[in-house]
Amino acid sequence: MKIPYYPGCTLNTFAKSFDESARSSALEIGFEMAELKQWNCCGATFPLTPDNLIALSAPAKVLSNAGKEGDTLTTLCSVCYNVLKRTNKVMRDNREKRSTINGFIEEEYDGAVNVLHFLEVLRDKIGFDKVKAAVKRPLTGIKTGAYYGCMLLRPFEDMGIDNAERPTVFENLLKALGAEPVEFPNRIECCGAHLAMNNEEVVTKLSGNVMTSAVGSGAELIVTSCPLCQYNLEKSQDKVASRTPGYTGVPVIYFTQALGLALGQPIETLGFEKNVTDVMPLLKKKGIV
Amino acid sequence: MKIKLAKEEIESASIHQLQRISGEDLKKCYQCGNCSGGCPVSFEMDIAPSQVMRFLQLGKIEEVMKANSMWVCVGCLQCYSRCPKGCSVAAVLEGLRQTVLRKGEDFEKIKEIPIPFLEKAPQQAIVCGFRKLVS
Ligand code: SF4
Ligand code: SF4
């Protein structure tokens, strides 16, 4: 099975390990993520003001290109997923906006593509039981906090991947991989997002809240599904450690790196060396490597 | 705090424009405070999300424009997600930001963005930051 795949600008560069570990894991499970022949940046923000149609033109172009390659589009970055899924809903349900945007991007796209996050592909198209059956190196005993952040879940009526307050999809995947999921209070709170650009203090506070909340609930590892969450959490580690008595840091990796690890892929192909935090001591301690 | 209310302010052109741009009806908010409780950055805001709504209901848009609230909002939609009335303070704050940015006024000067950030940060942070803070 081939599923059209939109990497987005960050996964092609900064978050290459997110992209590569997902692609190789997919092959291991039995499907191929086929990168769209032509794509552009989605704009990295869904405009909250409904009159801002120009901001919908880039994601609409991506969707229109995807429509030429199949009826489904999968993506990994939570923000790309949010932007594409919400834009798709506008293109499907709002005739007037659809016609304006199509006129601008010179396409005839009607919202027919089904936008799926990679987690949804694993859960709904493949099945977590099949993922579990493919596990060769179970992550036994690793207490893992799944960090959802904002964009994967909200707004609920547009995203619909899971319950916006008490999601389970991530934890269920972790269980399939043999890990021990840890639900922590801040798993659906923001990391500080784009304030990384101009307000490091707020980002440190928010990302710090996420990490200390996870560690306080017993997590030894955090997994993410967004390169910006990953960046903010990793970048805040040292500052948070210097301010928080008893907190010494926690490794943060993309959930696909955990997936690839569990599926038995060679450690050196998973891109752990590109993470700021070192996950290897934990993996050694748990006897995984 | 003592404030003077004026019908002209409550129904001013800028309040109407904000409602049009944001798609939000400010009157819907009944001041339960859920948004401020759920907002992860209300500790940093000069005026918390629910107060933003109240100021605007009373036509006090100048006060809100002077506050930092719209610029520290991270757009996480927790306010909207938890509002029993379906109001999106996030959209209102974006409407306020857009009011400034659409005039060509930058909040963040591109020249002042630190080079190490531009070199090391994920592209999406830069694109998103530009969308939210630069005209
Ligand atoms: S949650 Fe909604 S109704 Fe309650 S104060 Fe905030 S905007 Fe108003
Ligand atoms: S979207 Fe903005 S106002 Fe709403 S909860 Fe998030 S940071 Fe607060």
Side-chain angles (χ1 to χ4, degrees):
Chain A
M1 180 172 64
K2 261 192 191 181
I3 300 187
Y5 161 56
Y6 171 72
C9 51
T10 306
L11 270 82
N12 232 20
T13 46
F14 174 88
K16 201 80 197 135
S17 49
F18 193 10
D19 169 90
E20 286 170 352
S21 53
R23 288 188 201 227
S24 55
S25 298
L27 288 177
E28 197 79 33
I29 298 168
F31 66 100
E32 188 190 338
M33 295 169 75
E35 181 170 337
L36 292 183
K37 288 188 199 79
Q38 208 180 349
W39 58 265
N40 49 271
C41 171
C42 69
T45 26
F46 183 82
L48 300 177
T49 43
D51 70 341
N52 193 354
L53 295 191
I54 195 78
L56 298 181
S57 52
K61 187 85 185 170
V62 172
L63 291 160
S64 165
N65 282 331
K68 291 168 194 159
E69 296 188 32
D71 55 5
T72 317
L73 178 65
T74 185
T75 186
L76 282 157
C77 162
S78 302
V79 176
C80 297
Y81 172 62
N82 184 287
V83 174
L84 293 174
K85 194 153 184 183
R86 298 191 73 184
T87 304
N88 202 44
K89 191 177 175 198
V90 174
M91 294 303 280
R92 194 184 60 217
D93 298 345
N94 192 316
R95 194 150 33 118
E96 204 184 318
K97 289 185 182 174
R98 175 171 64 228
S99 137
T100 311
I101 295 166
N102 271 334
F104 186 69
I105 60 173
E106 299 184 334
E107 299 281 356
E108 279 303 324
Y109 179 67
D110 60 2
V113 167
N114 188 15
V115 180
L116 295 176
H117 192 269
F118 187 66
L119 281 168
E120 281 174 304
V121 173
L122 295 180
R123 182 188 63 189
D124 306 332
K125 294 229 159 206
I126 308 294
F128 285 158
D129 49 338
K130 268 219 185 121
V131 176
K132 188 174 177 179
V135 167
K136 297 195 187 77
R137 195 194 275 136
L139 309 180
T140 315
I142 304 191
K143 297 201 184 81
T144 310
Y147 176 45
Y148 288 85
C150 320
M151 293 296 124
L152 195 58
L153 300 170
R154 293 190 288 271
F156 170 72
E157 71 273 21
D158 284 5
M159 306 315 294
I161 177 172
D162 207 340
N163 186 309
E165 291 285 339
R166 299 221 56 192
T168 53
V169 53
F170 237 144
E171 282 79 8
N172 289 340
L173 173 66
L174 289 171
K175 270 187 220 155
L177 304 183
E180 199 181 308
V182 174
E183 278 187 27
F184 60 101
N186 283 50
R187 70 202 170 113
I188 61 165
E189 299 297 342
C190 184
C191 65
H194 64 275
L195 293 189
M197 193 157 103
N198 71 336
N199 200 332
E200 200 180 330
E201 200 40 49
V202 168
V203 172
T204 307
K205 180 107 199 264
L206 266 52
S207 289
N209 289 345
V210 170
M211 294 187 291
T212 52
S213 157
V215 171
S217 302
E220 303 160 295
L221 173 70
I222 295 178
V223 293
T224 65
S225 70
C226 168
L228 185 48
C229 297
Q230 178 78 22
Y231 173 78
N232 281 339
L233 259 51
E234 290 195 315
K235 187 149 190 289
S236 307
Q237 290 279 3
D238 292 348
K239 269 206 177 145
V240 175
S242 71
R243 292 175 189 185
T244 321
Y247 177 84
T248 52
V250 57
V252 185
I253 62 174
Y254 294 112
F255 77 94
T256 51
Q257 290 178 302
L259 176 65
L261 185 66
L263 293 174
Q265 284 166 24
I267 302 286
E268 61 282 5
T269 63
L270 293 169
F272 287 135
E273 72 289 349
K274 292 195 200 102
N275 297 131
V276 175
T277 47
D278 189 3
V279 73
M280 292 314 281
L282 175 70
L283 300 183
K284 283 189 189 130
K285 190 174 120 198
K286 297 285 173 179
I288 311 263
V289 295
Chain B
M1 186 169 67
K2 212 170 180 181
I3 53 169
K4 224 179 175 173
L5 301 182
K7 187 163 180 288
E8 307 76 61
E9 274 182 12
I10 294 172
E11 290 178 1
S12 70
S14 33
I15 293 284
H16 280 295
Q17 177 181 290
L18 176 61
Q19 298 199 97
R20 188 178 50 78
I21 296 180
S22 67
E24 291 294 311
D25 177 359
L26 296 164
K27 286 192 290 297
K28 265 188 358 197
C29 164
Y30 62 8
Q31 287 293 294
C32 66
N34 262 0
C35 50
S36 298
C39 174
V41 287
S42 52
F43 72 92
E44 182 74 9
M45 289 182 175
D46 297 334
I47 302 178
S50 57
Q51 293 172 323
V52 165
M53 296 301 273
R54 192 62 179 149
F55 269 101
L56 294 171
Q57 285 174 338
L58 301 178
K60 300 290 174 194
I61 196 166
E62 283 303 315
E63 277 78 353
V64 180
M65 294 301 280
K66 271 185 265 161
N68 71 351
S69 310
M70 60 172 135
W71 304 113
V72 294
C73 165
V74 285
C76 70
L77 300 185
Q78 203 60 285
C79 51
Y80 172 62
S81 185
R82 296 194 174 156
C83 176
K85 297 287 286 174
C87 305
S88 175
V89 186
V92 171
L93 292 171
E94 179 135 320
L96 291 162
R97 281 193 297 273
Q98 290 284 316
T99 308
V100 178
L101 301 177
R102 287 181 193 183
K103 281 190 243 158
E105 293 166 22
D106 295 339
F107 177 71
E108 197 52 48
K109 303 271 173 296
I110 294 183
K111 269 196 272 174
E112 286 163 20
I113 298 171
I115 300 289
F117 169 79
L118 293 174
E119 281 172 356
K120 294 231 176 77
Q123 287 77 356
Q124 69 183 113
I126 301 167
V127 177
C128 180
F130 276 27
R131 280 271 167 98
K132 299 272 185 191
L133 310 171
V134 180
S135 69

